[in-house]
Amino acid sequence: MCLWRRPRHRCRQAQSHLCLSQPRSSGRLLLWAAACVALRLSTREAGSCYTPPASEIEVLSRRGLAIGAAAAASLDVLPARAILGLFEGPKVVPYTMPGVFNISMPPDYVLKKSAPGLLAWQGDRIQPVEVMTAKSKAVDFASLAEALGSNATEVGERMAKVRPAVRVNSTTEATLVEALVDPAGSGLDIYQFEWISDFIHELKLYALVKGEGKNYLCSVNLRTAALLWEDRQELFRSIMASFAPLETQPKREAAAAAPA
């Protein structure tokens, strides 16, 4: 693709100097576009039938390469979604559990239910198991160790015995894949579990959050069909990373999960 439109007369020699060949791979598309823009801006005022001298072409080429190099450097630090979205991260919609915490979901996740202490979304509408929930309830416990147990791995293995099944209001046994304590290293009182059963892959976060003078046991649950986990896991982990208490929390007391 050429940065100039093909003229109906003359100037084909000028085109041969200033046109960049279209990249064959989508990974180089951004670099190609940046260089094309640089060349177009530099020659716009010269007119469509202007044939620049060799020295000017060299300057333009260097400018295009410089822009391309800067864009290439940015590819190393931005996620794939940011590159495809012109340096913007994945679009998300923030939701608030009143008085307790914020959580963000993709815009195509439809909020199906909103009630005191409960938010529920439908993910892929073709996949009925893709139901995401966020919950909170006031408790007397001061920590997750008191509410669920001090060893996250043991807690995860216990919970794995009774996990949601495909059929509504039914349960199944799953396998604990991972149990993490404060996965983001933020000092919050958080356990995060990953389970897999025959048909469902699940990521669940528990947190003990202080808000409005009370202690709240909070949870965020993300589920998808087991066959879709590879496509969902990055998105699910980014959703969990968006969990944020509304009030500043005291640092969690040291606690560690036993080796899996």
Side-chain angles (χ1 to χ4, degrees):
M1 183 176 180
C2 182
L3 62 88
W4 287 344
R5 293 185 178 180
R6 184 183 297 277
R8 297 181 179 177
H9 56 85
R10 299 180 298 169
C11 300
R12 292 192 176 183
Q13 182 178 0
Q15 288 182 45
S16 64
H17 289 295
L18 294 179
C19 291
L20 298 175
S21 59
Q22 184 173 357
R24 297 181 180 178
S25 64
S26 59
R28 298 295 177 185
L29 181 60
L30 184 61
L31 305 183
W32 170 80
C36 281
V37 170
L39 291 176
R40 185 178 180 87
L41 292 176
S42 301
T43 59
R44 182 174 56 186
E45 296 180 357
S48 61
C49 290
Y50 169 66
T51 303
S55 59
E56 189 171 333
I57 293 175
E58 183 178 359
V59 171
L60 294 175
S61 299
R62 290 177 179 175
R63 186 176 300 171
L65 290 174
I67 294 176
S74 69
L75 297 180
D76 293 333
V77 298
L78 290 174
R81 288 192 182 90
I83 297 171
L84 296 177
L86 297 179
F87 303 106
E88 293 181 0
K91 299 292 185 181
V92 294
V93 177
Y95 293 88
T96 298
M97 185 67 70
V100 191
F101 66 88
N102 285 332
I103 191 73
S104 296
M105 292 285 172
D108 55 338
Y109 281 22
V110 179
L111 182 64
K112 303 292 287 187
K113 187 173 183 178
S114 178
L118 172 65
L119 297 172
W121 299 263
Q122 178 68 52
D124 189 333
R125 300 179 188 181
I126 301 177
Q127 298 292 334
V129 300
E130 282 205 348
V131 177
M132 322 301 171
T133 60
K135 299 179 181 180
S136 70
K137 66 176 181 179
V139 295
D140 293 329
F141 305 112
S143 67
L144 283 182
E146 291 182 21
L148 303 178
S150 60
N151 187 298
T153 299
E154 292 179 357
V155 173
E157 290 175 342
R158 183 177 72 246
M159 292 183 173
K161 297 178 180 179
V162 184
R163 302 311 312 154
V166 174
R167 194 181 343 179
V168 178
N169 297 325
S170 63
T171 61
T172 187
E173 186 170 354
T175 299
L176 176 66
V177 177
E178 186 176 58
L180 301 176
V181 176
D182 188 17
S186 57
L188 297 177
D189 194 3
I190 290 178
Y191 293 170
Q192 183 172 296
F193 303 107
E194 181 183 340
W195 296 287
I196 183 172
S197 62
D198 291 340
F199 300 104
I200 296 178
H201 208 120
E202 187 178 5
L203 199 63
K204 188 159 188 174
L205 175 150
Y206 284 96
L208 201 294
V209 173
K210 299 182 182 300
E212 299 181 340
K214 299 178 182 179
N215 294 336
Y216 288 90
L217 179 61
C218 308
S219 67
V220 178
N221 195 15
L222 310 176
R223 298 189 300 166
T224 189
L227 293 177
L228 297 178
W229 174 249
E230 290 300 320
D231 295 330
R232 301 286 195 269
Q233 61 173 323
E234 182 181 352
L235 174 61
F236 279 14
R237 297 189 192 283
S238 69
I239 291 173
M240 291 305 194
S242 73
F243 178 88
L246 297 181
E247 297 183 9
T248 302
Q249 302 294 301
K251 293 298 182 181
R252 180 186 65 86
E253 296 182 3

